[in-house]
Amino acid sequence: MKRLLLLCALLLPALPLHAESQPSPQLLETLEKNAGSVRTISSDFVQEKHLSMFKNPMTSKGRLYFARPDQLRWELTAPVASGFVLKGDRGRRWHERTGRTENFQISQEPIMKLVSEQLFAWARSDFAWIKKEYRVTVLQESPALLRLEPRSAATASFLHHLLVGFSADGRYVKSVELHEKDGDFTRIRFQNTVVNKALPADIF
């Protein structure tokens, strides 16, 4: 569950790094405006978990689908298939090892409610919500690279900071790093991202 929380605490080259600075209102407004033109996203991703107890990172692959306003599918395809779908206040999750699929109401599951809030905030680039939850620092303006530190003690108890990188056009998150307090971190790199292509209705 901790990993799921880290994921949702999320639920993100050409220019040299700038000195760290507070985000300009214009930068965040531009990112939010650009993301506002996005109706759907489909993307592959590679997730690497760098854990101090292992010499090599643990790698898994998966797919992400998002459709405004409130539909999202996050699935791992290898090495073990698992995932969940969020649609309005309803959800469905599955895991290959157990062979189980179960439906749930997001409002009745505090953890999944937190997951959905975080993932949708990032998918929509909802910076009003993000700034309420995190202290935001700009590491690079173009493409945007942000560092976020949690404001709440509860989140800070397991998450030290996030690094979120955006695509060159600022319409979607390109990479996310979730750094834990003990030095372990998870890196998610999104690849083959397609924006505003019609998605099959039964995917959610």
Side-chain angles (χ1 to χ4, degrees):
M1 192 57 71
K2 179 181 176 184
R3 295 293 175 189
L4 187 58
L5 284 170
L6 284 170
L7 168 65
C8 76
L10 326 145
L11 264 140
L12 349 120
L15 297 178
L17 290 179
H18 293 179
E20 293 185 6
S21 62
Q22 295 300 310
S24 67
Q26 293 77 14
L27 173 62
L28 300 188
E29 288 174 5
T30 298
L31 290 173
E32 195 160 10
K33 179 181 178 182
N34 291 341
S37 68
V38 175
R39 301 186 307 278
T40 68
I41 295 174
S42 62
S43 182
D44 299 325
F45 66 81
V46 176
Q47 178 175 288
E48 297 177 351
K49 293 182 177 179
H50 296 256
L51 308 177
S52 59
M53 65 178 68
F54 297 117
K55 182 178 180 181
N56 298 313
M58 300 170 62
T59 301
S60 54
K61 297 180 179 180
R63 293 279 298 168
L64 164 73
Y65 301 91
F66 166 73
R68 281 186 181 269
D70 57 4
Q71 299 182 92
L72 187 143
R73 180 186 183 104
W74 177 277
E75 61 176 337
L76 295 179
T77 56
V80 179
S82 63
F84 57 86
V85 165
L86 305 174
K87 186 175 183 179
D89 187 44
R90 294 179 290 117
R92 185 178 76 257
R93 57 190 162 216
W94 63 92
H95 200 290
E96 184 180 62
R97 285 180 178 160
T98 64
R100 294 178 55 190
T101 297
E102 61 179 347
N103 298 315
F104 59 90
Q105 290 289 123
I106 296 173
S107 59
Q108 297 178 6
E109 298 207 8
I111 296 299
M112 290 310 299
K113 185 174 185 295
L114 177 61
V115 169
S116 66
E117 288 175 347
Q118 299 265 350
L119 289 177
F120 283 124
W122 284 107
R124 301 167 183 146
S125 291
D126 181 357
F127 281 101
W129 187 92
I130 291 168
K131 286 193 294 184
K132 186 173 66 177
E133 298 293 321
Y134 298 97
R135 288 182 290 275
V136 181
T137 302
V138 177
L139 302 182
Q140 177 177 292
E141 289 208 7
S142 181
L145 177 62
L146 308 179
R147 176 187 169 106
L148 297 96
E149 298 179 15
R151 294 184 183 278
S152 78
T155 305
S157 67
F158 59 85
L159 177 67
H160 188 268
H161 69 275
L162 299 169
L163 297 178
V164 182
F166 286 80
S167 61
D169 62 9
R171 291 199 295 172
Y172 56 89
V173 172
K174 187 77 174 173
S175 64
V176 180
E177 288 188 15
L178 306 98
H179 290 257
E180 302 175 46
K181 293 190 69 174
D182 60 6
D184 292 344
F185 68 97
T186 300
R187 176 183 294 133
I188 303 173
R189 290 178 287 112
F190 295 94
Q191 304 169 332
N192 306 317
T193 301
V194 178
V195 174
N196 290 342
K197 181 180 178 180
L199 300 176
D202 60 357
I203 208 168
F204 298 108

